[in-house]
Amino acid sequence: MWFSYTLIYFQRVALLQPLAAGALLLLGQIVDALMTPIFGILVDRYWKKKVWHIIGSFMVTLTFPVIFGGFADPSNTAVMLVYVVSISIFQTGWAAVQISHLSMIPALTNSPLARADLTAIRYSAQVGAAVVVFVVTWIVLPTNEEDVVRLAQEDSYKFRNIVLTLTFIGMVTTIFFHVLLKGHLLESPAPHKGNVEESRRLLDNPPNNRSSWFSSTILLRVAMLYVASRLFITLATVYLPLYIEETDIDGKEALATVPLVSYVSSFVAALLLKYINKSCGTKMCYFLGTLIGIFSAVVTKFGGNNAAIIYIVAILIGAASSITMVTALSVTAEIIGPRTERSAVVYSTVTFLDKVVTGVVVIFIEKWRCRQPELCPNYNRDTLSLVCAVSMALGLATLLSVSRCLT
């Protein structure tokens, strides 16, 4: 919801200038980036992972609906203050949720294959949640008008209803999560003999990259692998709705159906990834994802503005997002190895750059946004194509630099 509709909501419904809307999105990314390493330390050193997850969930529940609360007076300082405060608290809570949840994966098992499976399951659940978002949006957002209609200030109550519905669903699923996942499964058990010997072997073997995962450049390169994947997913999610609106195809309904198709494609790819990974390996999986992502950029740029092309682009983006993201997270779990006591720090390190880079890219795109649509009628299409191609090219270059470390 944050990446798909915040920017278009701020510009079309809350009536903010593109630069101001981009600045609020950047604010969220900066707060998330700053709080991510902090929670990386807190989750590993103090209290239990489930406690931090509950704290973060509580903060998100209280503040996220406020962001879509229907405040549409951009000249009012109090309104901007409400946006700033609610976004800051929301992103702080989200950092706590993300890092505590990711760090549970290495705590549950030491098996690389099991961690990869858990990562794929986690991503599938994330995609499933996104599908719920677009289904709810599909139900609430369309109008009964026959003509193609753009979003306007009058649609504010629809966004408020969407967010309240999704927040309630999130509360229920979070409660089920904490009831069903027993806390003792996340406690650090006494290390088995095999794990101790494995740790000693890694430490005594300098050429092995995992032996110095925290100080070696391998962590930075893996972080860039993750950044490329997240940059592709995030920017595609942000600018796909703007591209849809720019084409005037299928009206408001397409704002829900096209992202829905993308996430269904992502969900299917995540389910198939387990079998693809076993036959091709991590390296070939990520390579396949980058090729699909680059192809989506080419289709976006040269495919034309019609409904079929937009849905094809959505399918390609969904598949590429799933393959590259799950693979990048699996590589991150791999470099943690048996040293689960610092897993939150590792995840916070590899996600830190993502928050900063994504926010900076968005603010630059909005800063240079074309002010006269008649002079650049395909600005959002070209932007979507460019960011998809560049982010996947970055991922491909990073893959070459870490190829010897992957299976």
Side-chain angles (χ1 to χ4, degrees):
M1 187 70 192
W2 167 256
F3 286 116
S4 294
Y5 296 118
T6 300
L7 200 60
I8 195 170
Y9 171 83
F10 280 152
Q11 293 184 28
R12 302 287 188 264
V13 180
L15 306 180
L16 299 180
Q17 293 297 317
L19 185 58
L24 288 175
L25 194 68
L26 175 62
L27 169 67
Q29 293 303 103
I30 291 177
V31 172
D32 196 358
L34 293 176
M35 297 309 299
T36 292
I38 293 175
F39 280 113
I41 297 173
L42 294 177
V43 170
D44 278 336
R45 294 186 180 182
Y46 307 102
W47 297 349
K48 298 179 179 180
K49 293 177 174 59
K50 291 188 68 174
V51 173
W52 288 112
H53 192 276
I54 291 172
I55 292 173
S57 300
F58 183 74
M59 296 172 71
V60 169
T61 301
L62 288 182
T63 56
F64 190 61
V66 179
I67 299 174
F68 295 88
F71 307 106
D73 185 4
S75 62
N76 192 325
T77 304
V79 170
M80 292 302 297
L81 184 61
V82 168
Y83 282 136
V84 169
V85 172
S86 58
I87 288 174
S88 300
I89 297 175
F90 157 66
Q91 291 289 13
T92 300
W94 170 243
V97 169
Q98 183 184 35
I99 296 305
S100 60
H101 195 262
L102 279 170
S103 65
M104 292 178 188
I105 293 176
L108 288 171
T109 176
N110 284 329
S111 167
L113 288 177
R115 289 179 179 178
D117 287 346
L118 286 174
T119 302
I121 291 170
R122 180 186 186 274
Y123 188 80
S124 298
Q126 181 180 338
V127 172
V131 169
V132 172
V133 169
F134 296 121
V135 168
V136 173
T137 304
W138 189 10
I139 295 172
V140 176
L141 196 56
T143 66
N144 294 322
E145 301 171 65
E146 295 181 358
D147 296 332
V148 173
V149 182
R150 290 175 177 264
L151 289 175
Q153 186 177 353
E154 291 75 20
D155 294 306
S156 63
Y157 76 95
K158 296 179 182 179
F159 277 96
R160 184 168 60 247
N161 293 341
I162 291 169
V163 173
L164 289 175
T165 301
L166 297 174
T167 302
F168 175 76
I169 295 173
M171 288 172 57
V172 173
T173 54
T174 300
I175 291 171
F176 272 106
F177 170 73
H178 283 280
V179 170
L180 297 176
L181 180 62
K182 304 305 178 183
H184 67 86
L185 296 175
L186 299 172
E187 299 299 323
S188 299
H192 299 292
K193 181 179 179 180
N195 289 341
V196 175
E197 291 177 352
E198 173 71 4
S199 298
R200 289 175 180 171
R201 184 181 67 81
L202 292 173
L203 292 170
D204 293 338
N205 185 15
N208 191 299
N209 289 288
R210 286 191 291 173
S211 63
S212 54
W213 57 265
F214 192 72
S215 58
S216 173
T217 57
I218 182 61
L219 183 59
L220 179 59
R221 284 182 283 166
V222 169
M224 290 306 299
L225 203 67
Y226 178 86
V227 166
S229 303
R230 284 294 304 173
L231 194 63
F232 176 83
I233 296 172
T234 302
L235 294 178
T237 304
V238 169
Y239 287 100
L240 187 58
L242 291 170
Y243 167 51
I244 295 167
E245 191 189 46
E246 182 180 78
T247 61
D248 280 346
I249 294 175
D250 290 343
K252 297 176 186 177
E253 188 174 358
L255 291 174
T257 56
V258 174
L260 176 60
V261 168
S262 179
Y263 274 90
V264 169
S265 170
S266 185
F267 183 76
V268 173
L271 294 179
L272 296 177
L273 190 58
K274 177 179 179 179
Y275 305 100
I276 299 174
N277 196 16
K278 286 183 179 179
S279 59
C280 300
T282 305
K283 182 165 52 178
M284 287 305 299
C285 277
Y286 196 92
F287 179 70
L288 175 64
T290 57
L291 290 184
I292 295 174
I294 292 173
F295 184 59
S296 72
V298 173
V299 174
T300 302
K301 177 67 176 178
F302 302 106
N305 293 338
N306 61 73
I309 292 298
I310 291 177
Y311 282 100
I312 290 173
V313 168
I315 292 171
L316 293 173
I317 287 176
S321 300
S322 182
I323 294 172
T324 57
M325 191 71 259
V326 173
T327 306
L329 286 173
S330 297
V331 173
T332 305
E334 184 179 338
I335 67 168
I336 291 174
R339 304 183 64 175
T340 59
E341 73 280 359
R342 300 175 97 175
S343 58
V345 171
V346 175
Y347 280 115
S348 65
T349 302
V350 298
T351 56
F352 175 80
L353 284 176
D354 153 51
K355 317 299 181 182
V356 177
V357 171
T358 302
V360 170
V361 170
V362 169
I363 195 68
F364 269 103
I365 292 174
E366 293 306 311
K367 178 177 175 60
W368 297 107
R369 173 172 288 278
C370 179
R371 304 294 181 181
Q372 297 177 299
E374 62 276 5
L375 299 179
C376 45
N378 297 314
Y379 180 84
N380 291 311
R381 183 202 68 183
D382 295 341
T383 298
L384 179 63
S385 174
L386 181 63
V387 297
C388 286
V390 171
S391 57
M392 287 293 92
L394 173 63
L396 198 57
T398 308
L399 176 67
L400 295 176
S401 72
V402 298
S403 59
R404 290 185 301 172
C405 311
L406 306 180
T407 56

